[in-house]
Amino acid sequence: MSIKKLSKEDFKSFVSGLISSDDKVVGVKAKGNRFVFGDLESADELRLDYDVTLLPPKKYVLPQVETLMTYEVKGEYKTECNAEPTVLLGVHPYDMVAINQMDAIFSQDEYDSHYMARRENLTIVACDVVNASENVFAASMGSATVKDGFDVLLTDLGDSYLVDAATEKGEALVAKAAGAADATDEDIAKRKQVWQKNEEALAKHKLNCKTSDLPGLLDKSYNHPVWEEKAKVCYSCGSCTSTCPTCYCFDVQDDVAWNLETGKRYRAWDGCLLEKFANVAGDHNFRQRREDRFRHRIYRKGKYVPAKIGGQVACVGCGRCVGACTPGIANPVEIYNRLLEDTNL
Ligand code: SF4
Ligand code: SF4
């Protein structure tokens, strides 16, 4: 595939062209002094210099609420799937790694056709980080840069972008960019400098072991006092899971109309810190205690999910949970480092 260079002026015209095409175009824009992913109405709105978005882009593959099917109570059902072609602009490397992890999860075991239909309709334009956020620690988790999953990767070189088209979809998209020229070796070397700089800049919290040590560390930490200590001040608010790019749990519900003749089945984001998350039939809750729920989230990121996806830790170090947690207890690195102090690996 090809690597091009595009001036910032030409890039803006390229984005304007995309917005006036038939595809839905979403990207990062300012909301007050924060940033969000949302529909773009003009190229001027796009902010590739953002630090971090409030919510990750997972909502474009796994919406907060999604109707799965509609039905007649005594008759037929119809599968619903609203997956429209969408260009997603400005995904940071750590969020791209998170989407790659979800791709692996949702395409194995129970193949999730709703997730996969949305994913296949997405064209992802990732971008290297320009401004590191206050709490980002992607470098500690191996996701300060990303090598695959995207269709195009942009790197800001000052007055231009390096435009790396990695797939056929990416090539087709970049072909629409007037003014793109082949990148030189010097341009590609500048990208390497950006990657090296980001390995330093995106390490606001340092993990004191290798990520591959985490499953073994957690094996020895099930009864550690930290779970109870932290859980004492946890509100069970679920902010840490809803802002997390790698958390993908959902709850499935039926909504039957008042006439009891028709209904819809939908799914909505759920989170393992919420009190009712583990409630099952008979009102039995197998994770009633807050410390059990608190521990579960940390185990899930460092042990359970890695066992399903080839050892990759299910925390990409975006830092969103750190900022979202009012009592300041959600940072996985802080917990892992605390466990390390008391454990011989
Ligand atoms: S656990 Fe926290 S830092 Fe890690 S990916 Fe989730 S929100 Fe980001
Ligand atoms: S760890 Fe923090 S963000 Fe997560 S549920 Fe508890 S209080 Fe809320």
Side-chain angles (χ1 to χ4, degrees):
M1 298 289 156
S2 68
I3 305 185
K4 306 271 186 196
K5 189 164 116 166
L6 194 60
S7 72
K8 288 206 167 159
E9 204 181 336
D10 286 339
F11 179 74
K12 202 164 164 184
S13 307
F14 164 63
V15 174
S16 293
L18 292 179
I19 292 170
S20 51
S21 75
D22 289 341
D23 284 358
K24 183 177 157 112
V25 179
V26 295
V28 178
K29 48 192 194 177
K31 185 174 184 183
N33 59 357
R34 308 295 297 274
F35 296 97
V36 293
F37 279 95
D39 291 1
L40 288 182
E41 279 161 26
S42 106
D44 288 329
E45 284 183 313
L46 182 64
R47 290 289 302 273
L48 295 183
D49 61 339
Y50 74 100
D51 53 0
V52 66
T53 54
L54 289 169
L55 284 181
K58 73 175 176 187
K59 60 185 177 178
Y60 297 108
V61 274
L62 188 69
Q64 280 105 328
V65 181
E66 175 179 31
T67 300
L68 301 174
M69 65 174 187
T70 50
Y71 53 83
E72 293 166 24
V73 172
K74 292 183 182 163
E76 301 289 310
Y77 70 87
K78 185 171 153 241
T79 302
E80 304 283 342
C81 187
N82 177 21
E84 56 182 324
T86 301
V87 179
L88 176 54
L89 292 171
V91 175
H92 274 170
Y94 49 79
D95 279 335
M96 191 65 244
V97 173
I99 291 174
N100 291 344
Q101 292 188 1
M102 285 198 292
D103 290 351
I105 295 281
F106 281 96
S107 60
Q108 64 177 236
D109 302 334
E110 299 296 325
Y111 184 89
D112 192 300
S113 55
H114 284 80
Y115 175 96
M116 293 309 290
R118 286 179 190 280
R119 181 67 182 89
E120 278 156 23
N121 272 290
L122 268 189
T123 303
I124 298 184
V125 179
C127 69
D128 281 312
V129 177
V130 175
N131 289 308
S133 70
E134 190 186 351
N135 286 308
V136 65
F137 56 93
S140 299
M141 311 316 273
S143 43
T145 60
V146 63
K147 296 284 179 285
D148 54 21
F150 52 82
D151 296 291
V152 177
L153 175 65
L154 301 174
T155 310
D156 192 326
L157 300 181
D159 55 355
S160 61
Y161 286 108
L162 196 75
V163 183
D164 186 344
T167 63
E168 281 177 19
K169 263 201 286 188
E171 286 281 8
L173 196 76
V174 173
K176 296 176 186 170
D182 287 340
T184 63
D185 289 347
E186 196 187 335
D187 298 325
I188 294 169
K190 280 189 193 160
R191 174 169 72 173
K192 207 168 171 193
Q193 287 168 10
V194 170
W195 287 350
Q196 280 164 352
K197 184 192 104 209
N198 281 351
E199 289 296 339
E200 297 290 321
L202 275 59
K204 302 285 174 78
H205 305 278
K206 293 230 163 77
L207 179 66
N208 296 332
C209 68
K210 299 196 288 280
T211 53
S212 56
D213 290 334
L214 294 176
L217 172 69
L218 291 171
D219 275 341
K220 296 177 178 176
S221 307
Y222 199 78
N223 295 313
H224 195 281
V226 72
W227 313 121
E228 201 179 329
E229 269 169 42
K230 299 286 182 191
K232 273 186 188 153
V233 292
C234 171
Y235 300 142
S236 293
C237 64
S239 300
C240 50
T241 53
S242 58
T243 56
C244 180
T246 66
C247 282
Y248 56 80
C249 287
F250 56 82
D251 188 27
V252 177
Q253 296 276 345
D254 275 305
D255 184 4
V256 179
W258 288 108
N259 59 13
L260 302 182
E261 288 178 2
T262 59
K264 68 174 181 184
R265 180 163 296 173
Y266 65 95
R267 65 177 170 190
W269 287 2
D270 204 348
C272 57
L273 268 295
L274 300 172
E275 193 178 350
K276 295 290 179 191
F277 179 79
N279 230 47
V280 292
D283 208 23
H284 175 65
N285 191 331
F286 56 86
R287 235 176 270 127
Q288 178 81 55
R289 298 185 324 154
R290 241 179 314 165
E291 55 262 43
D292 292 343
R293 299 198 296 277
F294 189 87
R295 175 176 55 203
H296 180 77
R297 168 173 171 260
I298 298 295
Y299 267 64
R300 203 168 166 285
K301 305 219 162 287
K303 179 173 162 61
Y304 303 149
V305 175
K308 286 174 78 73
I309 55 170
Q312 287 182 63
V313 174
C315 168
V316 292
C318 70
R320 289 184 180 96
C321 62
V322 183
C325 177
T326 308
I329 53 170
N331 185 345
V333 161
E334 207 177 286
I335 310 262
Y336 295 136
N337 285 346
R338 167 76 191 283
L339 297 176
L340 279 164
E341 286 170 16
D342 298 335
T343 313
N344 291 323
L345 279 180

